[in-house]
Amino acid sequence: MLKIKGKLSKKSDSGFEKAIFSTLFNQHDPGRRPEMMVEPQDVDDIIATVRYAQANGLKISVCSGGHSWSANHLREGSILINMKGFNRYAIDHAAMTATAGPGVGGSVLLGELFNRGLFFPAGHCKGVCIGGYLLQGGFAWNGRKLGLACESVIGLDIVTANGDYVFASPHENADLYWAARGAGAGFFGVVTCFHLQLYPKPKYYGMMAHVFSNKHLEHVFRWAHEVGPNVPTAVEFQLLMSQNALNLLGPGIEAVAPIFADSKDELNEAKAFLQNSPIKSKATLRVPFVPLHIKHMYRLTMTHYPYQHHWGVDNMWTSAPIDELMPHLKTIAATMPPPPAHLLWLNWQPPQRRSEMAFSMEDKVYIALYGAWKNPANTPQYESWAPELMRKMEPLARGIQLADEGLHKRTARFVSDAHLQKLDQIRWQHDPEGLFNPWHSRPRLEL
Ligand SMILES: Cc1cc2nc3c(=O)[nH]c(=O)nc-3n(C[C@H](O)[C@H](O)[C@H](O)COP(=O)(O)OP(=O)(O)OC[C@H]3O[C@@H](n4cnc5c(N)ncnc54)[C@H](O)[C@@H]3O)c2cc1C
């Protein structure tokens, strides 16, 4: 019998289904169910759960904010450790560091830091918790300048597969530290706390946007592709294509530019690429730079990712020529399900160098498809929209982001082969019996 101080719910309990669904952002039921769910009160509860699973032939899965699109944490024959309750954080302003549990919402942490004149590269939506977000990399507000959020993780407290409680950093358990920065849903330990590097709040922050009708699709994507390498890193330039741009203007493309600048000159340089855009006269609507508190930026992004929806999501990194991408972009526009379904095009343009870590898959442009529907009756119609289109675009892709993985539907490369091999070796050392569930699927190694 598993004895813990926290809450334990079993598959046979009457409230189990409700408890499981409360862990899911994506309401699309994957059908998979764990044998039980543990909501630990402290680290001893986690250690006891890990040992119990080992002794009873069960596997372990973990969730924090439950925003995995693929419901990665719902697995058969497993105990689910729900870390949502590990949601405390402490900020050390003088040291410019923070500690935060995996159940802390990125928007909660960043909101608090913002009010204190500080910054951390948190993700763009409310509800996403730092647990899953930091393990997979972390594409952040101001992320083109500050890097992937996991590059600002300076240490982690982890319960390993044999029930040890360890600290991982560049100096201690460096292999676990390497793995925890990019392994994402395939990480083989329970992270109980992240140690984070903080930054000063940028001096200027806000957004500007141009909105185009879909009849200009070809002009807009050609311009975005061409201008990409020259967009300053203070700008997270993205295109959002949907059947109802701004929830108002019908089928169209929002060219959105969140800006985080440290000086007036940097702000002006950041604004210039949109202000001087050669296609600005085609825009139905031009919104000049508006200074916005981070809480308002969150409110704006949430209009694209509402709760209580079913989602079918997939993605790709690419540096393919625009002529090869264009026919696919037109097909995406022509087959786009109703809102809030959308395409995201992110001009990423990665830097030459990154920290040494498991994360190793990125490219010039990121394209993600978010199929969304409210009524479960529409599932057969929409669930395959994103993965099927991404399957057709596979020859143009380098690989995928684990942030938006749909590895239960389509296998794709999410780290380099060399890093996948190194991850296997580290997993073998720390979890030789495969206690922790790995990714839903993985590519074959071609070394
Ligand atoms: C609406 C929405 C918006 C998003 N926006 C962004 C964005 O702006 N930038 C970005 O980079 N990503 C974004 N994502 C993707 C998001 O970062 C990932 O889905 C991330 O995994 C979510 O973290 P979570 O803790 O909420 O999810 P969970 O589903 O709880 O975690 C995902 C997986 O991470 C692992 N995991 C989680 N916690 C732990 C832990 N404590 N210890 C060990 N393993 C753990 C588990 O394998 C788990 O299945 C978004 C997702 C959604 C749904």
Side-chain angles (χ1 to χ4, degrees):
M1 189 55 197
L2 174 57
K3 286 212 176 94
I4 51 164
K5 294 178 246 28
K7 195 170 167 195
L8 173 66
S9 355
K10 293 194 191 132
K11 213 176 193 171
S12 52
D13 293 349
S14 58
F16 190 71
E17 281 295 287
K18 198 168 166 213
I20 288 297
F21 267 85
S22 74
T23 69
L24 291 173
F25 169 79
N26 185 352
Q27 293 301 296
H28 182 24
D29 183 357
R32 297 169 247 119
R33 295 289 184 270
E35 290 302 308
M36 55 181 101
M37 178 166 78
V38 164
E39 294 167 65
Q41 207 177 86
D42 57 20
V43 170
D44 287 341
D45 277 359
I46 300 171
I47 294 171
T49 306
V50 164
R51 297 213 164 120
Y52 178 87
Q54 268 168 350
N56 289 277
L58 292 165
K59 291 194 177 289
I60 294 280
S61 60
V62 191
C63 72
S64 293
H67 274 57
S68 157
W69 299 102
S70 68
N72 178 69
H73 58 282
L74 297 190
R75 299 294 183 98
E76 299 292 337
S78 300
I79 304 180
L80 169 60
I81 302 181
N82 183 350
M83 297 296 288
K84 185 86 187 170
F86 278 55
N87 59 0
R88 297 221 180 104
Y89 59 87
I91 296 165
D92 185 337
H93 199 140
M96 296 294 278
T97 57
T99 51
V104 172
S107 65
V108 174
L109 179 64
L110 181 53
E112 179 62 28
L113 290 171
F114 222 72
N115 292 336
R116 299 190 193 191
L118 295 169
F119 196 89
F120 181 78
H124 302 85
C125 284
K126 288 185 183 177
V128 173
C129 286
I130 64 168
Y133 169 77
L134 289 174
L135 286 169
Q136 53 84 18
F139 298 84
W141 294 117
N142 207 12
R144 292 190 64 223
K145 226 159 56 177
L146 293 181
L148 292 154
C150 69
E151 291 181 277
S152 297
V153 173
I154 51 182
L156 309 95
D157 299 325
I158 300 169
V159 175
T160 64
N162 58 14
D164 290 339
Y165 185 43
V166 301
F167 179 63
S169 75
H171 315 293
E172 279 173 71
N173 298 298
D175 56 347
L176 280 177
Y177 178 69
W178 183 90
R181 300 197 307 161
F187 188 62
F188 32 85
V190 184
V191 180
T192 61
C193 182
F194 292 89
H195 300 246
L196 306 172
Q197 178 68 58
L198 304 180
Y199 303 89
K201 182 171 78 169
K203 217 163 166 189
Y204 302 92
Y205 35 87
M207 284 197 197
M208 58 193 297
H210 288 180
V211 185
F212 302 87
S213 143
N214 264 3
K215 70 179 178 205
H216 298 303
L217 180 150
E218 186 147 358
H219 285 107
V220 175
F221 281 100
R222 278 190 190 284
W223 162 69
H225 197 267
E226 197 184 314
V227 80
N230 304 320
V231 176
T233 53
V235 188
E236 282 180 64
F237 174 41
Q238 51 202 275
L239 302 176
L240 293 145
M241 178 163 73
S242 72
Q243 273 203 34
N244 198 12
L246 294 183
N247 285 324
L248 191 71
L249 299 170
I253 304 163
E254 301 165 32
V256 183
I259 298 175
F260 294 88
D262 296 314
S263 68
K264 192 86 187 166
D265 283 350
E266 192 183 24
L267 174 66
N268 288 336
E269 194 201 341
K271 290 193 293 191
F273 97 94
L274 210 52
Q275 278 167 345
N276 304 331
S277 140
I279 59 162
K280 67 177 177 189
S281 61
K282 297 188 190 303
T284 315
L285 187 73
R286 291 197 291 270
V287 184
F289 178 75
V290 182
L292 285 174
H293 190 281
I294 197 73
K295 66 182 179 202
H296 298 304
M297 296 206 201
Y298 274 116
R299 219 167 275 157
L300 286 175
T301 50
M302 286 312 286
T303 59
H304 292 285
Y305 303 96
Y307 288 96
Q308 300 305 325
H309 278 72
H310 301 65
W311 297 85
V313 172
D314 206 345
N315 73 88
M316 69 189 260
W317 287 113
T318 184
S319 52
I322 190 64
D323 284 340
E324 292 183 30
L325 290 169
M326 195 57 77
H328 296 283
L329 294 167
K330 288 180 179 170
T331 305
I332 291 166
T335 58
M336 178 78 66
H342 64 278
L343 162 144
L344 168 69
W345 164 294
L346 182 64
N347 265 60
W348 186 240
Q349 309 289 336
Q352 295 285 321
R353 263 164 214 263
R354 286 269 186 224
S355 317
E356 184 41 39
M357 55 185 175
F359 182 94
S360 46
M361 181 58 69
E362 56 192 329
D363 209 337
K364 289 182 183 162
V365 172
Y366 178 64
I367 301 175
L369 296 179
Y370 304 89
W373 61 101
K374 198 150 194 182
N375 185 344
N378 293 128
T379 299
Q381 198 180 351
Y382 297 131
E383 70 173 332
S384 300
W385 176 72
E388 282 313 313
L389 287 169
M390 283 296 163
R391 204 183 298 282
K392 290 194 180 119
M393 293 170 88
E394 256 170 21
L396 305 179
R398 180 182 294 257
I400 63 155
Q401 228 184 58
L402 280 176
D404 293 335
E405 58 93 0
L407 290 166
H408 58 318
K409 295 273 182 193
R410 186 178 73 91
T411 305
R413 236 171 207 84
F414 45 81
V415 289
S416 71
D417 281 359
H419 283 208
L420 187 54
Q421 190 181 41
K422 186 168 169 181
L423 274 171
D424 285 347
Q425 285 161 1
I426 301 173
R427 175 190 287 271
W428 177 248
Q429 279 162 22
H430 291 277
D431 183 14
E433 281 161 28
L435 185 70
F436 283 81
N437 283 299
W439 308 275
H440 289 294
S441 69
R442 50 175 287 165
R444 237 178 320 131
L445 278 174
E446 284 171 18
L447 285 164

